[in-house]
Amino acid sequence: KVIGVVCCEHVGPKREWTIAEQMFIRSLSDIIAINYEKEQRRLAEVLLQKNHLRFEETQELAKIGSWEYNFMTYEVLWSKEMYRIFDLEGAPKEKLFEAYRDKIYPEDLKQFESRIKSTNGSVKYILAIGEAILSPKQGKVIGLRGTVQDITKQKQAALAKSEFLSCMSHEIRTPINGVVGVANLLLEEKLTDKQQEYVKTLNF
């Protein structure tokens, strides 16, 4: 890719450039090109770093971690958020697979929605999905990758809602039974036609 032109001029009668002079100008061009490429690489690395930080921030906000497992090298790669979800910050890469299995409740291992043991003794709920990684040429499965989302807050909210509805159902049913019982007693009394109609409506 041409990025510019380096020109040299001399004063005096026309002459041929010496080999040494030609080598000098080529060296000068190479130095400029190398520095240009170095700057372009630096800018690309800065942009890559910014994108990586944005990616990490997005995962942290959404509470979604990503992972990858290579069948050829047996290497496990986790995003920063994966470590946070599983309370395994600083854990060595070689131990991640075992640590992952130890954290999940055994009966939940084959489920998409699982419970994991938190370091402080509480239970976390996660939602996990994954897919196969295929080699570009042969289309063979060479690994797995996926995401894990911490859904503890959503799960706790759903459980609290269910508990609230159950409690409210009980709290409402008790006084209603009392009202129905009194209405039935009233029906046995001597009432005017209008009163009887009111009580029947109340009972209904």
Side-chain angles (χ1 to χ4, degrees):
K1 180 184 175 183
V2 177
I3 59 166
V5 178
V6 178
C7 296
C8 286
E9 297 178 0
H10 76 279
V11 178
K14 187 179 178 183
R15 67 175 177 82
E16 292 293 319
W17 292 97
T18 65
I19 298 296
E21 287 170 332
Q22 290 176 42
M23 284 177 67
F24 172 74
I25 197 67
R26 283 197 190 106
S27 297
L28 200 57
S29 297
D30 288 344
I31 289 167
I32 292 167
I34 287 166
N35 277 294
Y36 174 80
E37 284 184 2
K38 186 179 174 184
E39 179 61 13
Q40 292 302 305
R41 194 177 300 114
R42 187 190 70 80
L43 291 171
E45 284 170 1
V46 167
L47 184 64
L48 191 67
Q49 185 67 23
K50 278 184 182 175
N51 287 338
H52 183 69
L53 285 171
R54 277 197 204 104
F55 176 70
E56 283 186 346
E57 285 169 3
T58 304
Q59 284 202 341
E60 189 179 347
L61 284 169
K63 299 194 182 308
I64 297 175
S66 54
W67 58 271
E68 200 171 295
Y69 178 61
N70 189 314
F71 290 165
M72 320 298 283
T73 61
Y74 302 107
E75 188 181 19
V76 178
L77 295 173
W78 276 19
S79 71
K80 194 175 175 182
E81 189 61 13
M82 274 291 287
Y83 283 96
R84 192 202 64 75
I85 290 170
F86 282 87
D87 298 322
L88 288 170
E89 290 96 335
K93 284 184 179 180
E94 315 82 60
K95 304 283 183 183
L96 287 177
F97 188 73
E98 290 81 10
Y100 172 85
R101 289 182 71 92
D102 287 344
K103 285 271 186 179
I104 292 182
Y105 280 69
E107 58 270 29
D108 294 353
L109 273 170
K110 293 181 180 179
Q111 297 177 31
F112 291 116
E113 195 176 296
S114 312
R115 293 165 297 158
I116 59 172
K117 302 159 200 161
S118 191
T119 309
N120 62 11
S122 63
V123 177
K124 277 187 184 177
Y125 293 87
I126 59 164
L127 189 64
I129 55 170
E131 65 176 6
I133 303 172
L134 304 175
S135 61
K137 292 179 182 177
Q138 297 92 0
K140 286 170 63 180
V141 177
I142 57 169
L144 295 169
R145 67 176 159 224
T147 60
V148 168
Q149 183 175 16
D150 182 349
I151 57 165
T152 307
K153 282 189 178 176
Q154 296 93 309
K155 199 74 180 172
Q156 285 172 342
L159 289 169
K161 181 183 174 184
S162 175
E163 193 177 323
F164 171 75
L165 290 174
S166 173
C167 181
M168 284 302 291
S169 174
H170 172 75
E171 292 296 324
I172 291 168
R173 195 165 49 242
T174 305
I176 283 179
N177 285 340
V179 171
V180 170
V182 172
N184 284 329
L185 288 172
L186 274 172
L187 281 171
E188 293 174 9
E189 298 293 323
K190 290 179 181 178
L191 303 170
T192 65
D193 290 344
K194 202 165 192 177
Q195 288 173 333
Q196 202 160 29
E197 190 184 331
Y198 288 157
V199 176
K200 281 180 179 175
T201 304
L202 178 63
N203 198 21
F204 174 76

